[in-house]
Amino acid sequence: MNKPVGLLTLQGDYEKHQKAFTALGVETRSVRRPAELNEVSALVIPGGESTTLTRLMDRIGLRQPLLDFAVTNPVMGTCAGLIMMSSGLVDEKNSDFGVEPLGLLDCQVRRNGYGRQIDSFTAEVGIDVLDNSDVAFDAVFIRAPRIISVGPNAETVAMHNGEPVAVRQGHLLGMTFHPELTADTRIHQAFVDLI
Ligand code: GLN
């Protein structure tokens, strides 16, 4: 791999992703400006707040360059990053929040879909894209979105309680939980393997 993996560092939980890639011996680079996409081979959109991510992304003119980048380069979105990669939000209230997803993954999501009373939980999930996929992944859900539907262009690669929690569409990957918050680097490895 020639170029490093890019981390969208506009806002949110990108440092832990950096640690995961470092543990795998994979170099990372911060991406904040459109031109910086030329310096990376893949991009992680981290968790954080999809409202803020939308605002900052549009303010710096990153939306179209990111869509162009994603045509051929792997992109992984976690939690708010998945919301940004989704094709739409089903919760009608979301128009008030100003989240404008990128439409990279053929799935519909509901922000904070597990309800406020359960802001955060962990669950063991089986994930198809991993080596040793029979060994469950300890997934950390923090005010996680819920994947309400998955369209024909995307495939569900992880389920929790009978619902999709991770989807893949070719070299694009999104999950409702935070793989960077555990020492298990298999998801980051699977993402690097897409490059
Ligand atoms: N609830 C946040 C949002 O809607 C996502 C939370 C997270 O990324 N941990 O953007």
Side-chain angles (χ1 to χ4, degrees):
M1 192 199 320
N2 305 327
K3 295 178 184 175
V5 170
L7 301 176
L8 189 66
T9 56
L10 294 176
Q11 187 258 346
D13 175 34
Y14 49 84
E15 280 175 15
K16 295 265 169 47
H17 280 290
Q18 183 183 7
K19 289 202 172 108
F21 287 115
T22 302
L24 292 171
V26 175
E27 199 190 336
T28 59
R29 190 203 198 287
S30 157
V31 171
R32 283 204 174 109
R33 280 183 273 271
E36 288 166 340
L37 286 171
N38 299 326
E39 311 299 322
V40 298
S41 57
L43 185 73
V44 173
I45 307 178
E49 281 301 327
S50 47
T51 48
T52 310
L53 282 170
T54 296
R55 203 171 59 243
L56 294 176
M57 199 176 277
D58 288 331
R59 187 188 295 166
I60 62 171
L62 198 60
R63 177 176 295 271
Q64 192 55 48
L66 207 161
L67 290 172
D68 296 342
F69 178 85
V71 173
T72 51
N73 298 283
V75 179
M76 175 167 79
T78 60
C79 203
L82 164 75
I83 298 172
M84 292 308 297
M85 288 181 75
S86 74
S87 49
L89 283 74
V90 296
D91 190 340
E92 68 291 342
K93 280 185 298 186
N94 281 302
S95 53
D96 302 337
F97 293 107
V99 176
E100 193 66 56
L102 292 157
L104 291 170
L105 286 171
D106 190 9
C107 65
Q108 301 275 325
V109 301
R110 175 178 290 127
R111 294 179 69 220
N112 303 315
Y114 291 94
R116 290 184 192 283
Q117 73 279 18
I118 316 169
D119 279 337
S120 174
F121 62 98
T122 59
E124 292 199 337
V125 299
I127 301 178
D128 293 346
V129 285
L130 304 184
D131 285 345
N132 303 322
S133 59
D134 46 329
V135 177
F137 193 95
D138 266 330
V140 182
F141 296 80
I142 302 170
R143 292 185 305 114
R146 211 162 187 146
I147 297 173
I148 302 302
S149 64
V150 179
N153 299 321
E155 54 174 327
T156 298
V157 291
M159 305 271 280
H160 170 61
N161 284 348
E163 292 181 18
V165 289
V167 293
R168 176 181 174 183
Q169 191 165 329
H171 56 280
L172 307 172
L173 199 56
M175 63 219 68
T176 61
F177 54 90
H178 287 264
E180 75 285 8
L181 294 182
T182 54
D184 189 339
T185 50
R186 284 180 295 160
I187 289 179
H188 291 82
Q189 183 63 60
F191 180 59
V192 169
D193 291 343
L194 295 175
I195 298 171

